[in-house]
Amino acid sequence: MTVRTLTLDGEPVSAREDETILDLCREHGVPLPTLCHLEGLSAVGACRLCLVEVKGSPRLQPACTLRAEEGMEITTSSDRLRRYRRQLVELLLAERSHVCAVCVANGRCELQEVAAAVGVDHVRYPYRHPVTALDASHPRFVLDQGRCILCTRCVRVCDEIEGAHTWDVAGRGAGARVVSDLASPWGRSDSCTACGKCVQVCPTGALFEQLQPAGGGVKRREFLTFRTRAREQGPWGR
Amino acid sequence: MSQRLVIDPVTRIEGHARITIQLGDDGEVADARFHVTEFRGFERFCEGRSFRELPAITSRICGICPVSHELASARACDALLAVDVPDAAKALRKLVNLAQLVQSHALSFFHLSSPDWILGYDSDPARRNVLGLAEARPELARQGIRLRQWGQQVIEAVAGRRVHPGWAVPGGVARPLSAAARERILAGLPEALATARQTLGWFAGTAADHQEEARVFGNFPSLFMAMVGPEGELEHTDGKLRFVDERGAVLADQVEPRDHRAWIGEAVEPWSYLKFPYYLKHGYPGGLYRVGPLARLNCCARAGTPLADEALAGFRQLGRGAVLSSFHAHHARLVEILYAVERIEQLLADPGILSDEVCAVALRSRRRAVGACEAPRGTLFHDYEVDRDGLVERVDLLIATGQNNLAMNRTVAQIARHYLSGQRLEEGLLNRVEAGIRAFDPCLSCSTHAAGKMAMVVELLGGQGELLDAATR
Amino acid sequence: MILLLALGNGSRGDDGVGVALGRALAARLPPGAAHLEEAIQLLPEHAEEAARSEAVVFLDAAVTGAPGESHAHQVHSRAAREALLHALTPDEILGLARSAYGKAPQGLLVTVAGKDFSFVERLSDEVQAAVPVAVEKALSWLAPYVAR
């Protein structure tokens, strides 16, 4: 295996060829906010929060999909990056209807945590307040589009881990929505196995268990670590 | 030419209100109205949401009595689930509701109303408040502060937070009571009980000084409605409805809150956002009924705790049949505080209250449900309809202050007739009109929530805070 | 015992300076010497705590004055005020303590004039810079109570 050397915020670091810049940051304790990324799922670079500067490249690139290359000079934190990250989170908050006080995820929400981490103390953009419906047709789970940030974790976990591919994204731009099957109510989905993995990986309160009251949503993601380890190490049992 | 006199705004009540006193051509008081011009629209917020979120959403209607809305909502959700709420959860909900009653009544009696009697209606308005009270009767002010504090502490000990606790949930409550929290509540209980007894003793003894108010402040025959227990005892959380008439005779008993629409009609007037509920069988406006502390004591057969039962017997001496003057609601509040403290002690004495089984889990099994409880100001109904998936289609809230609105109008007219001379608003009259309304302890932030249907009235009433001529428009 | 009543809403920009002052001041006092209470507004209940204290420092933002201008002046108990609303003022708290509990502590009101009261959770630079200045003013007034 080839080892690559590069600099991360001025510090020389080495990386395996299959490592991304985000992996390196996590390894070296460099804080980088993420929302769409989740260990155990493929990386899609959707949320753009982990954007970094690469010396010599005019474009900012998402660290989660950026492979470490020999001689790269990466900057993870600059005024520009901080400004963009804050703007991105503000735009996420303004795009749908995030009302923390009555949300099931309140206090355990990754969007909340990231907003605090990047210093969002108010939103400078007008709230769009789109009319979004709740899909409560499933006997166990509810989808609240008003809280969805289109991170597609649900889409990926359903496809990559459960193998059902119930979820996908329909529509474009501000009209994009996560849909089950061909945009039929979740409760009528033929492909859904009701495993609940999508609910467990959702970073906000967009997917939640019916029986959870406000602020009661606890995410259980052990299955992902278990699967990742099993895949990496080969044998299933011990 | 008829003339209108306006008192604006009423100080020392929660929310905002306007009153018009309508004089007839002869210069006498023809009518009086207590207007509510605030506009909320909470019912619309709830549409399309999951019913499970409603306790958290509706408790935000009001920062003054969030507990009452949360409980009524959770009870409606219980009914949608068709579950048996565990006994410990029932007891804890009762406990919190009673604590809410204590703190709310203490605020109304000590902080807001007692300055009128201690310092006099015609005393300097700058002194006629809790500060003036502290100068004139320091121990009374101290007791009021401590009693309210204790009520707040009980809510915090059980529910975690005083405002918007997020604690009552469909099927029960979110957390069991800890033994340490029980001890904290019990530690302050003897002082609360002593305050309740002493204040009641003092106030009952001053009845002779208040004969005029008792005669003029909302003293008229009407019906009364309140929740009672299975044997007609006082019950604020888990009871059924009873209506009594001015003689105290029971008109209807053990009415299920979910059937309240079969017994209560709602009239709409163009000059107010409040709806005007009435006892259906007697028509509008003849079916005027009152709710709140006065109604609860008029409806119940007994209080159900030893000291409060004695106090209730004393209270009954104030009337023949039902006690008719709304001024006596102040006295009724003290009886209820005494009852609440005694009852909290009883509830805590049962070791079952520490049980960790506090929530029943179920799926939605009904499409429509009603939850009710006695809020400090009177019976509160939450009426929900949901679709097959449990998404809210309709939310209807019937609020205590709304139910008392007709009685408040009549009270204002009665006071104006008695004290108005000529065409000028003398201080004395104004003070008494305000005091008359304060006897109802109206809380307006939650009682004005009828969105949508009266859009025309929105423009009309929202104007410049001027007189309302809706009827002539 | 010294009571520090830190007033304001940290979500409204410089209105949070009261709380910032309270925390900074508490950190400068010997452990156990002071009780810090943070509140959005003053309520009758605060009079009870005040009456149990030797000295009370009210810490608040001011809406008038040049941003960052700090003032400290003695508060005297006052009886009442016309048109009593929900909240009380520092002098009324002392007045209520005196009349209801027979004892009004010495009181100091420390204010820092704010600039931005919009929905942000941060102090303006001028206001932030004034915090140590205002804390020193409170400390020098508190000296006799701390020494004991």
Side-chain angles (χ1 to χ4, degrees):
Chain A
M1 186 178 288
T2 335
V3 173
R4 285 148 181 191
T5 50
L6 56 156
T7 62
L8 186 61
D9 290 334
E11 298 290 324
V13 294
S14 57
R16 294 190 312 273
E17 61 183 338
D18 62 341
E19 277 192 297
T20 64
I21 299 300
L22 181 63
D23 292 333
L24 275 182
C25 288
R26 296 284 194 254
E27 206 177 303
H28 292 275
V30 175
L32 206 53
T34 54
L35 274 173
C36 67
H37 180 266
L38 191 64
E39 199 62 47
L41 300 180
S42 61
V44 289
C47 74
R48 317 306 280 179
L49 278 169
C50 65
L51 286 178
V52 293
E53 292 169 358
V54 184
K55 191 168 183 189
S57 159
R59 289 198 311 138
L60 300 176
Q61 305 202 48
C64 63
T65 55
L66 183 63
R67 296 270 163 207
E69 301 288 352
E70 184 66 32
M72 267 181 166
E73 290 180 38
I74 304 291
T75 306
T76 66
S77 186
S78 66
D79 281 347
R80 176 168 68 145
L81 288 170
R82 278 190 292 273
R83 199 169 66 240
Y84 281 171
R85 284 183 193 134
R86 189 183 148 159
Q87 267 175 344
L88 281 167
V89 177
E90 285 180 44
L91 287 166
L92 284 177
L93 291 168
E95 190 171 15
R96 305 261 172 119
S97 309
H98 297 278
V99 185
C100 301
V102 295
C103 178
V104 59
N106 191 12
R108 297 184 181 88
C109 171
E110 291 177 56
L111 180 59
Q112 261 180 347
E113 285 164 20
V114 166
V118 303
V120 174
D121 47 22
H122 66 299
V123 173
R124 291 165 293 182
Y125 307 102
Y127 286 88
R128 294 187 65 245
H129 293 301
V131 176
T132 53
L134 252 64
D135 183 347
S137 56
H138 195 282
R140 284 175 56 203
F141 311 118
V142 185
L143 164 64
D144 184 349
Q145 298 278 10
R147 301 169 182 165
C148 175
I149 57 170
L150 294 171
C151 69
T152 70
R153 281 187 192 177
C154 54
V155 177
R156 284 173 282 149
V157 80
C158 187
D159 175 45
E160 297 166 14
I161 308 287
E162 178 62 13
H165 204 131
T166 301
W167 295 112
D168 219 319
V169 179
R172 304 185 74 84
R177 295 285 184 273
V178 158
V179 293
S180 49
D181 285 2
L182 292 169
S184 56
W186 191 1
R188 289 215 287 276
S189 163
D190 297 325
S191 62
C192 176
T193 62
C195 71
K197 291 189 183 69
C198 53
V199 174
Q200 305 303 343
V201 299
C202 179
T204 69
L207 290 165
F208 57 99
E209 290 183 45
Q210 264 200 21
L211 298 181
Q212 289 167 339
V218 185
K219 302 289 186 185
R220 303 175 57 85
R221 294 176 182 161
E222 296 83 356
F223 71 92
L224 269 177
T225 359
F226 177 72
R227 287 290 301 249
T228 317
R229 202 185 303 131
R231 282 181 174 175
E232 277 169 6
Q233 297 173 353
W236 277 92
R238 259 167 299 153
Chain B
M1 209 187 96
S2 67
Q3 294 177 27
R4 250 176 245 219
L5 303 174
V6 182
I7 303 174
D8 186 18
V10 179
T11 59
R12 275 185 295 148
I13 58 170
E14 307 289 355
H16 302 277
R18 232 174 69 237
I19 296 161
T20 46
I21 299 168
Q22 178 79 55
L23 301 186
D25 293 337
D26 54 359
E28 296 293 311
V29 175
D31 194 10
R33 281 170 188 176
F34 176 70
H35 300 274
V36 175
T37 54
E38 232 180 291
F39 183 72
R40 302 282 314 255
F42 252 90
E43 280 124 333
R44 293 293 290 273
F45 292 167
C46 301
E47 284 169 21
R49 302 305 308 177
S50 163
F51 74 90
R52 292 176 194 273
E53 297 177 326
L54 290 184
I57 295 177
T58 57
S59 80
R60 282 168 171 79
I61 289 173
C62 182
I64 298 156
C65 47
V67 168
S68 308
H69 281 289
E70 193 170 287
L71 287 176
S73 180
R75 285 174 54 76
C77 293
D78 298 343
L80 288 173
L81 301 174
V83 290
D84 271 340
V85 174
D87 288 344
K90 279 188 192 163
L92 287 172
R93 286 177 176 183
K94 284 183 192 194
L95 191 71
V96 165
N97 201 19
L98 292 169
Q100 156 85 355
L101 191 84
V102 169
Q103 73 88 9
S104 175
H105 280 2
L107 180 75
S108 166
F109 184 89
F110 292 92
H111 293 40
L112 301 179
S113 293
S114 72
D116 287 336
W117 319 310
I118 302 293
L119 305 162
Y121 297 98
D122 297 317
S123 64
D124 178 7
R127 290 190 68 242
R128 196 159 22 87
N129 54 43
V130 67
L131 295 170
L133 174 72
E135 281 164 36
R137 290 284 300 275
E139 86 294 350
L140 194 67
R142 273 201 304 271
Q143 287 171 334
I145 288 170
R146 289 283 287 171
L147 191 61
R148 173 143 191 268
Q149 233 170 13
W150 180 72
Q152 303 267 43
Q153 282 161 358
V154 176
I155 297 175
E156 210 162 87
V158 182
R161 283 168 62 191
R162 286 182 289 186
V163 182
H164 310 318
W167 165 81
V169 294
V173 300
R175 283 178 302 281
L177 179 70
S178 73
R182 177 170 72 171
E183 293 317 307
R184 280 208 300 284
I185 299 170
L186 286 171
L189 198 136
E191 189 188 341
L193 188 65
T195 297
R197 294 184 72 172
Q198 199 185 333
T199 312
L200 181 63
W202 159 70
F203 190 70
T206 63
D209 307 334
H210 299 306
Q211 285 178 1
E212 188 173 307
E213 296 102 297
R215 213 168 56 244
V216 181
F217 287 15
N219 183 31
F220 48 83
S222 79
L223 311 184
F224 297 93
M225 182 191 77
M227 199 174 249
V228 294
E231 286 158 26
E233 70 275 24
L234 266 184
E235 174 57 54
H236 294 79
T237 316
D238 214 354
K240 292 176 185 166
L241 306 174
R242 176 184 277 187
F243 291 85
V244 302
D245 67 11
E246 69 274 10
R247 290 166 300 128
V250 176
L251 298 177
D253 198 13
Q254 300 297 322
V255 172
E256 288 283 353
R258 69 164 176 267
D259 298 330
H260 70 289
R261 291 287 167 202
W263 298 86
I264 300 169
E266 272 192 304
V268 170
E269 295 280 7
W271 41 269
S272 177
Y273 282 131
L274 287 177
K275 290 181 244 176
F276 298 86
Y278 58 98
Y279 182 64
L280 208 53
K281 277 189 187 166
H282 289 199
Y284 176 78
L288 165 73
Y289 67 88
R290 285 179 266 184
V291 298
L294 182 69
R296 289 193 286 260
L297 295 198
N298 278 331
C299 284
C300 73
R302 59 193 178 83
T305 58
L307 295 174
D309 269 323
E310 266 175 50
L312 180 63
F315 176 80
R316 293 249 153 99
Q317 302 300 311
L318 295 168
R320 286 184 295 273
V323 176
L324 296 181
S325 173
S326 282
F327 179 77
H328 294 313
H330 295 300
H331 188 139
R333 276 185 199 101
L334 294 175
V335 177
E336 284 202 309
I337 290 176
L338 184 60
Y339 163 81
V341 179
E342 283 187 288
R343 191 82 183 94
I344 286 174
E345 191 171 22
Q346 286 178 351
L347 287 165
L348 289 174
D350 179 354
I353 200 159
L354 295 180
S355 161
D356 60 1
E357 196 192 329
V358 290
C359 194
V361 176
L363 296 178
R364 180 202 61 76
S365 21
R366 295 202 183 104
R367 292 282 295 274
R368 187 193 157 215
V370 175
C373 70
E374 285 291 333
R377 294 156 180 86
T379 322
L380 170 65
F381 295 91
H382 280 214
D383 185 346
Y384 303 156
E385 241 172 284
V386 300
D387 70 9
R388 294 170 60 95
D389 298 339
L391 300 185
V392 174
E393 292 180 323
R394 183 183 60 84
V395 164
D396 235 324
L397 309 176
L398 184 54
I399 309 289
T401 297
Q403 295 172 85
N404 278 333
N405 197 4
L406 280 175
M408 283 192 277
N409 288 350
R410 209 176 276 194
T411 298
V412 173
Q414 186 176 40
I415 293 172
R417 265 179 214 118
H418 192 85
Y419 293 101
L420 185 73
S421 55
Q423 296 179 356
R424 291 193 45 220
L425 287 174
E426 308 283 349
E427 271 299 302
L429 166 71
L430 301 188
N431 296 339
R432 283 166 180 81
V433 166
E434 291 188 15
I437 289 173
R438 250 193 323 268
F440 290 88
D441 191 19
C443 165
L444 300 176
S445 59
C446 65
S447 51
T448 50
H449 52 79
K453 289 176 198 155
M454 295 161 65
M456 288 304 295
V457 189
V458 178
E459 274 179 289
L460 190 64
L461 290 182
Q464 294 119 41
E466 288 183 342
L467 298 180
L468 299 172
D469 257 330
T472 61
R473 216 172 90 115
Chain C
M1 180 60 105
I2 299 163
L3 176 64
L4 308 179
L5 278 168
L7 304 171
N9 181 349
S11 302
R12 295 300 299 266
D14 292 336
D15 196 30
V17 72
V19 171
L21 287 170
R23 292 176 190 176
L25 182 55
R28 294 284 303 277
L29 293 168
H35 173 69
L36 170 64
E37 171 107 8
E38 297 174 4
I40 299 279
Q41 59 187 17
L42 291 168
L43 298 170
E45 284 92 319
H46 291 124
E48 201 219 347
E49 286 178 68
R52 282 190 270 119
S53 311
E54 237 184 312
V56 186
V57 182
F58 300 92
L59 304 143
D60 202 355
V63 289
T64 54
E69 195 178 303
S70 69
H71 287 286
H73 50 82
Q74 187 105 17
V75 185
H76 299 283
S77 68
R78 189 169 61 118
R81 157 178 64 131
E82 194 137 7
L84 182 73
L85 299 170
H86 283 62
L88 303 181
T89 58
D91 47 1
E92 286 168 342
I93 287 290
L94 298 190
L96 187 54
R98 177 179 302 287
S99 41
Y101 300 94
K103 177 174 171 290
Q106 294 298 309
L108 183 76
L109 172 63
V110 179
T111 60
V112 173
K115 181 167 109 181
D116 177 16
F117 293 94
S118 60
F119 288 100
V120 291
E121 290 188 345
R122 121 189 121 231
L123 301 177
S124 315
D125 294 341
E126 298 96 316
V127 171
Q128 186 69 55
V131 169
V133 182
V135 165
E136 285 306 325
K137 289 181 182 170
L139 279 172
S140 69
W141 183 81
L142 277 173
Y145 305 99
V146 179
R148 259 179 266 162

